[in-house]
Amino acid sequence: GAASVVVGHPLDTIKTRLQAGQGYGNTLNCVLAVYRNESVAGFFKGMSFPLASIAVYSSVVFGVFSNTQRLLSQLRHGDPSRTPVLTDVALASMVAGFVSVGIGTPVDLVKIRLQMQIQPHIEANTKLKPTVPGFPVYRGPIHCFKTVLQKEGVAGIYRGAGAMLLRDVPGYCLYFIPYTFLCGWITPDGCISPNPSSICLAGGVAGAISWGTATPMDVVKSRLQADGVYLNKYKGTLDCILQSYQNEGLKVFFRGITVNAVRGFPMSSAMFLGYELSLKAMKRDQTETNP
């Protein structure tokens, strides 16, 4: 999980700026603007909170997915270790996506608020005060979390949860299903477990597919969670969709799709490789301890 955050965060910053910021144009312009204005450190804004919480998030998501699979195999066939069928993988993916929102929404909100807090917002009040665009509102992730909680309550911390649910439930289906079957397909017959190159390829392809198709709801989620740094434009998920469409047309929902898909490959490769190698190491330790 930590490896995936470090690998993917610079592109995540670019993706968020393109989706919720103003005046960047295309991806290259956004990269150059961030570098000119904030140097290399600008690409890593808001990374500490996801990095600190990714262990819990990843263990819950992967744990719920694998244990739901095992439970379904037990109920259907009486054997939890049996290779799951497509419907089992799909159902386990949906459960994992649903559970992930509870942990992931506050983390994403803090990350996006920190990434967006010096962005230009055209409608913002330009009188000089601590919360005008260009002046940091939050001193760090803990201060950001406490400030949002004090000003907006628990509902503020979970702002964008509806959009995240609409993103992650189908998104995890298109994450785990391609990985499971692609990994099984490219692993040679007779091998007990996939090799690292198979894991990286299958994980990368799954990540690119999942993040590419999740982009429309990712745009809505990013806008809802960035909303509130200086302004409150959107009343909820549907209002955000309607306002975005009325102001910028259908193309707005595909902002950052290239960055999302490209970022999804190395992030997911790192995530699945870390997951499979960790499992393999733990199973080896158990075998050595309990022969």
Side-chain angles (χ1 to χ4, degrees):
S4 75
V5 171
V6 173
V7 166
H9 197 81
L11 285 173
D12 184 72
T13 299
I14 298 303
K15 179 264 298 182
T16 302
R17 297 282 178 93
L18 285 169
Q19 290 176 343
Q22 299 282 350
Y24 285 114
N26 57 38
T27 304
L28 181 59
N29 285 345
C30 185
V31 172
L32 293 174
V34 172
Y35 181 73
R36 275 197 305 266
N37 298 331
E38 303 162 63
S39 77
V40 175
F43 296 102
F44 293 92
K45 273 206 168 82
M47 189 177 79
S48 58
F49 199 44
L51 196 61
S53 58
I54 193 70
V56 176
Y57 180 82
S58 297
S59 63
V60 169
V61 169
F62 279 83
V64 167
F65 171 72
S66 58
N67 282 300
T68 303
Q69 267 192 342
R70 290 173 64 82
L71 177 63
L72 291 170
S73 294
Q74 176 70 45
L75 293 173
R76 285 178 187 273
H77 313 291
D79 179 11
S81 61
R82 182 167 173 157
T83 303
V85 295
L86 177 61
T87 51
D88 290 355
V89 178
L91 187 55
S93 302
M94 291 170 69
V95 173
F98 187 83
V99 171
S100 75
V101 173
I103 301 170
T105 304
V107 175
D108 265 21
L109 182 118
V110 171
K111 171 181 69 74
I112 284 175
R113 291 285 175 98
L114 291 172
Q115 286 172 330
M116 296 301 298
Q117 67 173 334
I118 65 164
Q119 294 312 290
H121 282 255
I122 294 169
E123 302 88 348
N125 188 340
T126 54
K127 291 178 184 177
L128 287 176
K129 57 182 181 178
T131 56
V132 299
F135 288 81
V137 180
Y138 311 112
R139 294 191 294 271
I142 303 300
H143 180 249
C144 177
F145 186 88
K146 287 169 68 176
T147 303
V148 174
L149 194 59
Q150 287 167 359
K151 291 186 175 180
E152 303 171 49
V154 175
I157 290 295
Y158 280 90
R159 186 171 177 79
M164 195 167 179
L165 199 65
L166 292 171
R167 184 196 75 173
D168 282 3
V169 171
Y172 272 114
C173 286
L174 292 170
Y175 189 61
F176 285 117
I177 292 173
Y179 173 75
T180 301
F181 290 99
L182 187 58
C183 209
W185 181 59
I186 61 181
T187 299
D189 293 337
C191 288
I192 298 171
S193 59
N195 59 48
S197 58
S198 298
I199 294 167
C200 285
L201 179 60
V205 170
I209 292 170
S210 176
W211 276 107
T213 52
T215 297
M217 287 316 300
D218 192 46
V219 171
V220 176
K221 182 196 74 73
S222 293
R223 290 187 163 211
L224 279 169
Q225 292 185 324
D227 191 37
V229 178
Y230 306 109
L231 300 166
N232 278 296
K233 282 176 61 180
Y234 309 116
K235 297 184 185 76
T237 303
L238 183 60
D239 184 50
C240 181
I241 292 170
L242 292 173
Q243 282 199 50
S244 298
Y245 177 72
Q246 286 166 0
N247 296 332
E248 299 168 71
L250 193 62
K251 66 181 181 182
V252 70
F253 299 109
F254 297 94
R255 273 194 185 178
I257 189 168
T258 304
V259 179
N260 251 348
V262 170
R263 178 181 71 104
F265 195 99
M267 269 186 70
S268 299
S269 290
M271 179 78 83
F272 277 109
L273 185 62
Y275 170 69
E276 295 285 6
L277 292 179
S278 299
L279 272 184
K280 197 172 181 180
M282 285 185 278
K283 285 176 182 175
R284 188 186 302 121
D285 287 346
Q286 288 171 358
T287 305
E288 290 171 358
T289 307
N290 304 301

